[in-house]
Amino acid sequence: MTIDKLDAGARAILTANDRGGYTVPNGQVYPFQWNWDSAFVALGFDTYNRDRAWTEVETLFNAQWDDGFLPHIVFWQDDPGYFPGPSVWATGKTPVTSGITQPPVAATVVRKLWDSAIAASADDAYRLRLESLFDKLIAWHRWFRDYRDPDGRGVVVAMHPWETGRDNSPEWDAPGEPIDISGVGEYTRRDTGHLDAKMRPTKLEYDRYLALVQYGVAQGWDHAKITAGNPFKVADIGMSMILLRANRDLLHLAEYLGRGSEADELRQMIDTAEAGIGWLWDDAKHSWCSRDLLTGRSSGFITSASFLSFYAGLADPAKDAAMLAHLHRIGSKVEYLMPSLDPEDPGFQMIRYWRGPVWAVVNFMIGTGLAEAGFDAEAARVRHDTLALMERNGYYEAYSPVDGSGSGGDDFSWTAAIWLAWSADR
């Protein structure tokens, strides 16, 4: 298939999944607006419809809570075919939202949108929109500092596996064991009605997810109470690296806008993270790994998120060399980088969600970080493999790193958006 046809196909997916101001990830499985999905989708829109790209992010932030919290799902319209829906979350917000967040990629995306507007001499038309989004972005970043970093290390402590965006990663298995699932009750999942159960989280994992939702409901979605007493608290390497990068990009925007006090605040957040994020380095694994806050134990898992250190701008020659060695080793074991779990791990499953498959959005961040750090050959491999998967199969939710087959839903918005964002730079 030609590049023009692939571009047209990707744009057609975004058009089909557009619900007027926001885009659903996939029309069958995910009928609402998801937080980090929408941020990545905006990158795709920006390649051919700049105004629509900005609107995507603005619509997401229209659901921001008064304390700066930005939910991971916004239920703009009811859809009884999705579980768990608004009645399960019971946040009592208008618009109706979930009670947990997702990886904070939005500031980095907004910077990209702004840089694109400047390059097109369209910055005057978007200056006021940038200023409005800046205020909302920094409020969200403050929320992470105040409610997701209880020890002040500059890392992000996830209170739910869904917050990480990597729902069933094995990183959450041991920390999830103490979760009491006895009160979950009976429920009917909708995801396995649309997709092969072998590609989805297990029932035990889903029971834990719902138990944590019920805990949040019991706390009235008071995030201070949740931070204090939640039975699941994991310092997530992915969210921590993404927030550090997002703070750097938000600082750039603060300096451009002349927001001196906010710039100083962001520099402090960055300094705190640079000083504290080393807690997530696992000396035994020679890798960046998530860590259970309640036990202090490292997960010991090398996942695709481990490679986001380059994206975060952490320049450490010894650690970089170790991560590049892992990348080369993993690259020799699979056909396509970057599997969501080390293929030499005994728990590797090439098509089960975040226990093996390749995800285009994570590859986009890994590839971007490697290129910025000057590791051009490795960046090119990640980018080539990602685009080759799409050329071969179309725009799936994820892909097998072994045989390249599609995994999860097809006609996926953020995958199509990554094709457009990277294809535009060819």
Side-chain angles (χ1 to χ4, degrees), residues 146-222:
D146 297 342
Y147 294 102
R148 287 295 186 268
D149 184 21
D151 294 337
R153 288 191 175 96
V155 302
V156 178
V157 177
M159 299 292 163
H160 195 297
W162 282 337
E163 279 198 326
T164 70
R166 306 191 323 281
D167 305 11
N168 70 327
S169 172
E171 297 158 280
W172 328 133
D173 289 354
E177 289 177 1
I179 299 172
D180 181 6
I181 62 174
S182 62
V184 168
E186 297 295 324
Y187 59 90
T188 301
R189 290 172 62 174
R190 304 294 181 179
D191 58 329
T192 52
H194 296 291
L195 301 171
D196 188 338
K198 294 193 297 293
M199 299 180 181
R200 304 295 295 173
T202 65
K203 184 181 186 305
L204 174 59
E205 290 161 348
Y206 232 81
D207 285 349
R208 291 172 178 171
Y209 303 157
L210 294 177
L212 291 172
V213 172
Q214 291 172 352
Y215 181 83
V217 173
Q219 307 311 309
W221 292 110
D222 182 323

Side-chain angles (χ1 to χ4, degrees), residues 270-289:
I270 292 167
D271 290 345
T272 299
E274 289 181 333
I277 205 166
W279 187 60
L280 300 183
W281 179 259
D282 187 317
D283 285 323
K285 287 290 185 178
H286 305 289
S287 177
W288 295 102
C289 298

Side-chain angles (χ1 to χ4, degrees), residues 121-168:
S121 300
D123 44 312
D124 286 347
Y126 289 90
R127 171 74 182 236
L128 292 178
R129 296 172 77 169
L130 174 65
E131 290 178 346
S132 177
L133 278 173
F134 177 87
D135 291 333
K136 295 175 181 180
L137 285 162
I138 196 167
W140 188 28
H141 288 209
R142 288 168 178 151
W143 180 88
F144 275 106
R145 178 195 63 198
D146 297 342
Y147 294 102
R148 287 295 186 268
D149 184 21
D151 294 337
R153 288 191 175 96
V155 302
V156 178
V157 177
M159 299 292 163
H160 195 297
W162 282 337
E163 279 198 326
T164 70
R166 306 191 323 281
D167 305 11
N168 70 327

Side-chain angles (χ1 to χ4, degrees), residues 46-47 50 54 110-122:
D46 193 53
T47 64
R50 177 171 291 111
W54 284 76
V110 170
R111 178 181 175 179
K112 286 182 176 292
L113 298 184
W114 180 244
D115 289 346
S116 172
I118 290 175
S121 300

Side-chain angles (χ1 to χ4, degrees), residues 47-107:
T47 64
Y48 66 97
N49 188 339
R50 177 171 291 111
D51 186 71
R52 183 62 186 79
W54 284 76
T55 299
E56 185 76 26
V57 182
E58 290 165 340
T59 301
L60 176 64
F61 275 90
N62 285 340
Q64 188 170 34
W65 293 14
D66 291 341
D67 63 357
F69 167 80
L70 191 66
H72 94 298
I73 305 175
V74 188
F75 301 101
W76 292 110
Q77 298 178 0
D78 189 23
D79 190 320
Y82 180 81
F83 179 86
S87 63
V88 178
W89 289 97
T91 57
K93 298 294 181 179
T94 303
V96 184
T97 74
S98 65
I100 59 172
T101 193
Q102 263 190 334
V105 296

Side-chain angles (χ1 to χ4, degrees), residues 145 152 154 247 251 261-275:
R145 178 195 63 198
N247 276 329
L251 172 59
S261 62
E262 289 94 338
D264 289 341
E265 188 177 359
L266 287 161
R267 291 188 191 99
Q268 181 59 54
M269 292 182 192
I270 292 167
D271 290 345
T272 299
E274 289 181 333

Side-chain angles (χ1 to χ4, degrees), residues 285-287 301-307 322-345 348 356-358 363 366 381-382 385 401-402:
K285 287 290 185 178
H286 305 289
S287 177
F301 289 106
I302 301 172
T303 70
S304 54
S306 301
F307 295 90
M323 295 312 302
L324 290 174
H326 285 306
L327 186 150
H328 294 148
R329 173 182 58 80
I330 291 171
S332 71
K333 302 293 182 181
V334 297
E335 188 70 21
Y336 302 96
L337 287 174
M338 175 62 73
S340 45
L341 179 63
D342 188 336
E344 294 187 329
D345 190 281
F348 173 78
V358 176
N363 274 14
I366 293 171
R381 166 79 192 272
V382 172
D385 288 2
V402 177

